[in-house]
Amino acid sequence: MINPSPTELFNLSGKVAIVTGASRGLGQYFSRALASAGAELVITSRQLASLDAFQKELADIGCRVVPLELDVTDLGSIEQTASAAFEAYGKIDILVNNAGCNIRKPALDITWDDWNTVLDTNLRGPFFVAQAIARHMIPQNSGRIINIGSVTSVAGYAGLGPYCASRGGIKQLTMSLADDWGPHGITVNCLAPGWFKTKQNEILYEDPKWVEYLVDRIPLKRPGEPHDLDGALLFLASDASCYVTGQTLLVDGGISTGATRATSEK
C-alpha cells in the first residue's frame, strides 16, 4: 500500500461539508478554507436571505454550495436541515458545528433566560446537530465532526459564565461523541480558537488599553487572524487527522499556557 502524499492528505475534493452559522464571522472563514481545499458546501443560517451574498461569493470561485435555513435551538429545524443537506448531495462528509452566541454580563446579573439562550445555542444545539448529521455518516462508515469551542473550553473568564460553561461542555461532549461514534469511522474533535476579532466581540477591540492588556498575555503578542485557523481546520476535516479523535486543538497564540509573567521584565 502506498501512503498518500502530504498534499493529498489535505485534499477535500469530492467531500461535502456543512458549516453552521455561516452568515458572518468565523463561519464564513471556515467555509472559504474548506472550499479552497476542494470541498462542496452546505452553509446555514437562521435567516436564509443572510446567506445570499456569501453563496454568490463561493459560487464565483467555482464552489458548489447549497444554502439552508437552520435554527440550532429548534429540533425540527435541525432534522429538516440535515435531511435537506443529505438529499442535496447524497452524503455528508464533514460537519463544522460553528453556530454560537454570547452574552457578556457579571455573574450576578445573568438571568435565567440569558443562561438558556447561550446554553441552548452553544451546547444543546451542537449536540443535536451532530446527532442528526451522524445518522447520515454512520451508514457511510466515515465522517469528520468538528465542534467549535474556544479558549474558554479550558479557561475561565469573569463576565462569561454561561459562555464558559457552554464551551467547557463542548470539550467534554466532543470526547463523549468520539467514543460513541469512533466504531463507525467518525472522528469528533474540538477546534478551540483563542482571541479572534468577530462580530460577537469587536466592541472590545475598540478599547486600545484592553487590546494592550490582551496582547501582553498572548505569548505570540497579537490576537488571532482568521487565516490562522485554516491549517487546523483542514487538518481536522481531512484524512490527515484520520487517527485523531476526541481532542481539543487550541489555536490561541499560547494564551492558554497561563501567560502570566513570573518577573517584572517584559
Side-chain angles (χ1 to χ4, degrees):
M1 178 179 177
I2 300 175
N3 291 328
S5 70
T7 301
E8 291 172 330
L9 282 174
F10 288 88
N11 184 2
L12 299 182
S13 296
K15 302 292 186 181
V16 175
I18 178 169
V19 181
T20 68
S23 64
R24 63 180 186 175
L26 294 182
Q28 293 197 347
Y29 284 99
F30 294 146
S31 300
R32 292 184 186 104
L34 293 166
S36 72
E40 299 177 318
L41 293 177
V42 175
I43 54 174
T44 80
S45 174
R46 285 178 298 174
Q47 297 177 330
L48 194 59
S50 69
L51 296 170
D52 289 349
F54 189 47
Q55 177 189 9
K56 183 179 185 304
E57 176 191 326
L58 292 171
D60 285 347
I61 63 171
C63 176
R64 182 184 174 193
V65 55
V66 173
L68 294 174
E69 185 175 310
L70 171 62
D71 180 352
V72 301
T73 67
D74 183 298
L75 182 59
S77 176
I78 291 170
E79 292 175 344
Q80 182 177 357
T81 300
S83 294
F86 185 78
E87 288 171 9
Y89 288 102
K91 65 172 184 171
I92 302 170
D93 301 295
I94 301 157
L95 164 64
V96 180
N97 230 341
N98 170 70
C101 71
N102 194 5
I103 295 175
R104 291 180 176 78
K105 289 183 181 179
L108 291 178
D109 294 337
I110 291 291
T111 67
W112 185 274
D113 288 342
D114 290 337
W115 179 273
N116 287 342
T117 295
V118 175
L119 271 292
D120 287 355
T121 304
N122 293 3
L123 188 55
R124 187 175 69 174
F127 170 77
F128 284 100
V129 171
Q131 181 192 70
I133 297 300
R135 293 190 197 281
H136 296 284
M137 288 179 168
I138 286 171
Q140 302 168 181
N141 204 41
S142 66
R144 300 280 183 268
I145 295 175
I146 304 168
N147 294 322
I148 302 304
S150 151
V151 67
T152 58
S153 295
V154 299
Y157 292 88
L160 296 177
Y163 187 79
C164 290
S166 71
R167 294 315 194 192
I170 280 290
K171 177 178 181 291
Q172 296 297 115
L173 177 63
T174 293
M175 291 188 284
S176 177
L177 296 182
D179 198 18
D180 243 310
W181 297 334
H184 302 287
I186 298 169
T187 65
V188 187
N189 291 289
C190 175
L191 175 58
W195 287 94
F196 286 74
K197 185 178 179 181
T198 67
K199 287 290 184 181
Q200 287 187 13
N201 64 23
E202 63 184 358
I203 191 171
L204 299 174
Y205 289 84
E206 295 174 4
D207 182 350
K209 290 185 178 180
W210 181 83
V211 174
E212 181 181 1
Y213 166 85
L214 173 66
V215 167
D216 187 45
R217 283 153 181 77
I218 299 174
L220 292 183
K221 298 305 176 190
R222 65 175 178 87
E225 297 288 342
H227 65 80
D228 292 323
L229 294 163
D230 290 359
L233 176 74
L234 295 180
F235 169 68
L236 295 177
S238 69
D239 289 343
S241 62
C242 64
Y243 200 60
V244 177
T245 195
Q247 303 306 304
T248 295
L249 177 53
L250 286 145
V251 183
D252 66 355
I255 197 170
S256 56
T257 62
T260 300
R261 292 193 306 273
T263 69
S264 60
E265 298 177 358
K266 290 190 177 182

